[in-house]
Each structure stands twice: as C-alpha cells, then as structure tokens.
Amino acid sequence: MRDQVQQVLDTLRQANGLYVASPSNTYHYVWVRDSCYIALSELERDNGRFERTYHSLFDIFRKYMWKLEYHAQHRPREAFEYIHPRYSANLLEEVREPWGNAQNDAIGAFLFGVGEGLRRKKNLVRDEQDWRVLSLFVRYLTTLEYWHDADNGVWEENREVHASSIGACVAGLLAVRPFVDVPWEPIQQGLSSLYLTLPRESVSKDVDLALLSLIYPYQLLPVGLAEVIVERVEAALLRTHGVLRYPGDKYYSEDGREAEWCMGFSWLGICHALLGHHDKAAEYLERSQEVMTAAHEIPELYRPVSKTPNENTPLGWSHAMWLILYDMLHRDGRTSTAD
C-alpha cells in the first residue's frame, strides 16, 4: 500500500520539486508549509527529493529578497507585508488576493527543514545567497518579535498569538543555530512565551490539532507535557473519519458540526510512536487507511453529516503524514496491517 499512497502524492509534485496542496481549483497552489511537511516524508531517503524541494523554496525567497531585506529591519504589520506562505504553481509568485498571509509557522517550518537537512549532511545550501536568506530570516523573526506576534496561524484564520506558530519559530531557530548566527535571546523569548501559552493554542482556542506540531515534527516538549497535549486532542477532537481542527471550526461544517480532518489520524499516530506507544500508533495507521478512497487517495477532510470527502482530495499533507507514520513503524521493525 505504501507504493500506491506514494504514487498519489507524486501526482502533486511539480517539476521544480515543490508540491501543490491538492489538484482542486482552490488548493492548486504551492504552500511553503505544505511543501515543508511533505518534504519530511523524504528526509530519510537519499533520492535528492528533499534537497530539490528546499532548493526551490530558496529560489522563491531569493526572488523576494528585497522584501525579506526590508522586513528584516522593519516589522511587518499588515498581512500582505509578511513573507507570503502561498505561491502560484507555475510562476512561483505571490498570490495577491487578500489572504491570511501572516503565517509565522511557515517560516519556522522552512528553517526547521533546512536545519534538519544540514544536520544530515544534505546539500541544501548552494551558495552565499542561500546563506543570506537564512540569516535574513533569523533577523526577520527577531524584528517581528514572533513570540508575541498575532499571526494567522496554521489554519490561516483570525490573527492572534498561536502556540503552534511560536513553537515552529523556536524549533526553526534552534535547528539552524549550528550553521548560522542565531542570538539566544529570540529563542529564549519564544520558549518563555510558548510555555506561558500552553497547553492552550491561543486565547480563543483551548485545544487545537496544530498543537501536535510541537511533538512532531518539532519535538519541543518534555514527555509529560506531550502526553497531556495528545490526551487533550484525543478527548476533544477525535472523531470517526478524522480529527477536528478545533471546537467550533466553521470550515466545511454541517448542522453545527465540525469537519473531520483525515491527516489527524496519522499525526496522532506519529506522536504516539514518538512517545513509545507503538500499538496505538499502528491503530491510527489502520484508521488512516479506512478513510482512503478506493484509489488510495487521502482527503483533506470528511464532511461531518454527509460523511463524504471534500474536493481537496487527495491532500498532499495527508499523504505525507501517512507515509511518515508508515515508515516510522516499519523502520522500528513493527508490523501492521498496512502492508
């Protein structure tokens, strides 16, 4: 089954190594966050795909170097001033329509992936311009004072301070610190703000699927707190066809009930695997298979009443999370019915 899930994901891969989020009209764009998470499914492989994805991300940021240089010194305030998280699939240019473009977690995800790749001796940074991009992003996040910046968050919605965004930035800065100059103060500020916010995601969200990012991929939390986050997500958000993003989510809701996100199963499974709960992780792998279509496509979500997938099927992020969980279980020599 792994090959079929991988083949579906490959249909979303562009010649430049980036991924459109989904073939649907609304998602046929390149999101920085999605490409970074999808690339993690290639991190342990020596096929050059991880490097290709990041080289193209560097190319995007080099195209907008003028913007990065300016806002490394002048804090952005309006959403359009932030380094954009979403680009056209063909020209890799900013999508200009009004959007929740203040997404600090996407920058953190990029830095984290670069740091993880460099730690594994992957040839990610090609020249001085790439190194400059990294240094400017460190200054950008510092000037932004990300630790108390109200951004649009992982779900691109209302602006407030999000624990998952702070955590992504902390993890990104820590990941590149062995390779570029990163002052300790912005990391310390981020950690302080993060632990003052947890276990909440934000003022308006007591529990949120995005909090799982602090466990995977970022692994920022001590075991006890990670267990608490997983337990809270399962207690409040776990459903039959997936996991809610947060209580009261209006996106694809029906009759006052929230949509069920398929990648939540794999994400919880990955977290359980990291916590040593391999039987529970294998159970979530099976649950992820149960929501696949006959063509091995994993949707973004299921509608809560009609129990049908939405049009963002397949979703690249969903496939990547399943592949990561599958590989974790099989790399550890664990068996599951996923074979």
Side-chain angles (χ1 to χ4, degrees):
M1 180 174 287
R2 190 196 189 284
D3 289 344
Q4 292 94 322
V5 175
Q6 180 73 61
Q7 287 166 9
V8 174
L9 178 58
D10 288 348
T11 65
L12 306 180
R13 190 170 187 266
Q14 308 298 290
N16 55 26
L18 297 174
Y19 296 81
V20 294
S22 177
S24 69
N25 290 332
T26 52
Y27 274 20
H28 200 260
Y29 298 103
V30 169
W31 267 268
V32 172
R33 177 193 307 102
D34 291 53
S35 284
C36 289
Y37 271 85
I38 293 170
L40 290 174
S41 67
E42 303 285 357
L43 181 60
E44 303 296 337
R45 298 175 177 270
D46 295 321
N47 55 16
R49 285 190 167 197
F50 186 87
E51 294 92 324
R52 183 73 176 116
T53 297
Y54 272 87
H55 290 164
S56 289
L57 288 172
F58 270 114
D59 289 343
I60 290 175
F61 298 135
R62 286 165 68 145
K63 182 185 295 188
Y64 291 96
M65 185 79 83
W66 59 270
K67 185 174 185 178
L68 184 51
E69 287 177 337
Y70 181 81
H71 285 297
Q73 301 179 62
H74 303 89
R75 182 177 182 178
R77 298 189 183 275
E78 300 299 327
F80 71 88
E81 295 179 296
Y82 284 68
I83 302 302
H84 278 214
R86 185 177 65 138
Y87 298 84
S88 61
N90 52 349
L91 299 177
L92 298 181
E93 294 182 346
E94 290 180 350
V95 180
R96 296 290 183 89
E97 68 181 278
W99 197 264
N101 285 318
Q103 296 176 35
N104 300 338
D105 77 287
I107 306 305
F110 170 74
L111 292 177
F112 177 80
V114 171
E116 286 295 288
L118 291 175
R119 190 165 66 84
R120 288 168 171 77
K121 311 299 183 184
K122 292 184 180 290
N123 182 28
L124 290 191
V125 182
R126 299 161 295 182
D127 54 28
E128 287 302 315
Q129 283 286 85
D130 284 353
W131 285 116
R132 180 154 178 75
V133 167
L134 292 180
S135 295
L136 285 171
F137 267 131
V138 172
R139 290 171 56 194
Y140 172 82
L141 290 178
T142 303
T143 299
L144 182 62
E145 298 182 1
Y146 73 89
W147 50 89
H148 60 192
D149 184 61
D151 78 334
N152 295 110
V154 173
W155 310 129
E156 307 177 324
E157 296 184 333
N158 60 302
R159 290 186 67 169
E160 57 182 340
V161 177
H162 294 93
S164 58
S165 293
I166 296 170
C169 295
V170 169
L173 292 172
L174 285 170
V176 299
R177 196 165 190 255
F179 310 103
V180 297
D181 181 31
V182 180
W184 179 246
E185 183 179 359
I187 295 174
Q188 187 175 35
Q189 292 274 18
L191 286 169
S192 176
S193 181
L194 175 63
Y195 281 96
L196 285 172
T197 306
L198 291 174
R200 299 182 67 90
E201 163 69 347
S202 65
V203 170
S204 72
K205 298 185 181 74
D206 180 57
V207 61
D208 192 302
L209 178 61
L211 286 167
L212 296 185
S213 65
L214 303 177
I215 305 168
Y216 180 86
Y218 302 131
Q219 300 189 50
L220 282 174
L221 307 181
V223 171
L225 184 53
E227 295 270 13
V228 168
I229 296 295
V230 169
E231 289 170 3
R232 282 164 57 86
V233 168
E234 289 177 327
L237 307 179
L238 186 60
R239 299 293 187 272
T240 305
H241 291 85
V243 182
L244 311 187
R245 296 192 301 180
Y246 54 86
D249 185 7
K250 298 295 191 295
Y251 182 72
Y252 279 92
S253 64
E254 293 178 330
D255 295 342
R257 294 167 59 184
E258 304 92 333
E260 302 171 18
W261 283 62
C262 301
M263 70 178 180
F265 284 154
S266 296
W267 211 342
L268 280 169
I270 293 168
C271 292
H272 276 291
L274 288 173
L275 291 168
H277 310 153
H278 294 285
D279 290 343
K280 193 70 175 178
E283 176 187 321
Y284 277 117
L285 187 68
E286 292 185 24
R287 294 187 70 171
S288 295
Q289 290 171 212
E290 292 169 0
V291 297
M292 290 182 189
T293 69
H296 297 98
E297 296 176 336
I298 309 177
E300 177 182 51
L301 58 83
Y302 275 77
R303 297 175 177 88
V305 176
S306 59
K307 303 300 183 186
T308 56
N310 71 346
E311 73 273 16
N312 301 323
T313 303
L315 184 74
W317 197 352
S318 297
H319 279 252
M321 295 297 250
W322 187 92
L323 290 165
I324 291 164
L325 176 57
Y326 180 95
D327 289 345
M328 287 178 74
L329 290 173
H330 286 71
R331 187 166 55 246
D332 291 343
R334 306 281 172 166
T335 59
S336 87
T337 57
D339 298 309

